[in-house]
Amino acid sequence: CFILRPYADDRRELGNRMGYHHYEVIGRRKPKEAKVDPEAALKGEVKKEEPEEPKIYRMKIFAPNTVVARSRFWYFLAKLKKIKRANGEIIAINEIFEKQPNHIQNYGMWLRYDSRSGTHNMYKEYRDTTLTGAVEKMYAELASRHRCRKASIQIIKTCIVKDKDVTARLVPFIGSKSAPVEFALLHRVPRAASRRQKKVFSAHRPCTFF
């Protein structure tokens, strides 16, 4: 039998699909149709009244794809505004990207999650280059420390925290000019100084861990 493996580009796309994305979902309640009395319409006594425009709701959701984002949007909107999926419509779904994805920032999150004993509120801080990466770290930590499933976690609010305002948990990872953060070089592969000194075989096994 043959096993079809995806190419490098397809693997990259699969990796992006499996991770979380930041979506902005915009929806509203369906506009009501004006009811017309057939007898009054024949007599010409019908007054044309424009239906009221329903309110538009915008929500920022973290989801692996647009299908899950739509589902979570209706889940939260049904709880907040009593609007069901059958009575509403989605206007647009926009994905939000980071302006500087290579810049490290501190992200703060206000959470609410359901455990086996009750509902709890929580504030967490994570250090990452993107907000979606910080969200993935949050899901992994809550799953390991609190045995919490993704479906029972609700992200209420997110913000960017300055280095001077972070909690004591992230202080060792930030450092300062006087005491910068140092990373140990655990695995170093020695390289030959020139091409002539490069060897395919060696009499002694090199020590790469210091």
Side-chain angles (χ1 to χ4, degrees):
C1 63
F2 296 95
I3 301 175
L4 296 176
R5 295 183 178 179
Y7 292 102
D9 296 339
D10 298 337
R11 290 177 185 175
R12 198 177 297 111
E13 290 180 3
L14 288 172
N16 294 335
R17 292 175 193 170
M18 291 177 67
Y20 276 81
H21 300 266
H22 193 187
Y23 293 107
E24 181 189 46
V25 186
I26 304 171
R28 65 175 183 176
R29 189 192 296 270
K30 286 182 180 179
K32 296 181 180 179
E33 297 180 359
K35 295 183 179 179
V36 180
D37 188 5
E39 295 181 0
L42 293 173
K43 295 179 182 179
E45 299 176 355
V46 179
K47 295 181 180 179
K48 293 184 178 179
E49 296 181 359
E50 296 182 359
E52 295 182 0
E53 286 291 331
K55 290 184 178 180
I56 297 175
Y57 301 97
R58 185 183 65 175
M59 200 175 297
K60 293 182 179 179
I61 295 174
F62 300 94
N65 49 51
T66 56
V67 177
V68 180
R70 288 169 179 261
S71 176
R72 299 301 288 174
F73 174 78
W74 291 121
Y75 171 79
F76 290 121
L77 201 62
K79 283 194 169 187
L80 296 172
K81 299 297 179 181
K82 306 298 181 183
I83 300 176
K84 296 192 300 183
R85 183 183 302 187
N87 301 331
E89 59 183 2
I90 291 179
I91 300 173
I93 298 179
N94 304 319
E95 187 172 356
I96 302 173
F97 297 95
E98 294 287 338
K99 292 182 179 179
Q100 296 177 340
N102 297 326
H103 184 65
I104 300 175
Q105 290 180 331
N106 309 311
Y107 295 98
M109 299 182 190
W110 283 264
L111 315 169
R112 180 184 292 119
Y113 73 96
D114 298 326
S115 67
R116 288 170 288 186
S117 59
T119 305
H120 312 279
N121 297 322
M122 184 180 291
Y123 172 76
K124 288 281 187 181
E125 286 182 359
Y126 299 93
R127 189 167 171 82
D128 205 293
T129 55
T130 59
L131 181 57
T132 53
V135 169
E136 291 180 9
K137 288 183 179 179
M138 180 269 299
Y139 278 123
E141 183 182 0
L142 288 182
S144 61
R145 293 196 177 191
H146 303 278
R147 301 293 186 269
C148 187
R149 299 182 179 180
K150 295 180 181 179
S152 60
I153 301 172
Q154 300 176 9
I155 301 174
I156 301 172
K157 180 183 175 183
T158 61
C159 70
I160 297 174
V161 186
K162 295 182 180 179
D163 291 346
K164 61 180 181 179
D165 299 330
V166 297
T167 56
R169 177 188 174 188
L170 293 183
V171 170
F173 301 99
I174 295 174
S176 60
K177 292 183 179 179
S178 59
V181 181
E182 296 181 354
F183 298 95
L185 299 175
L186 300 178
H187 182 65
R188 285 181 284 181
V189 180
R191 293 186 179 181
S194 63
R195 195 171 183 180
R196 292 181 179 180
Q197 298 176 357
K198 188 176 180 181
K199 298 178 181 180
V200 180
F201 303 101
S202 178
H204 303 283
R205 179 178 293 179
C207 182
T208 60
F209 293 92
F210 298 93

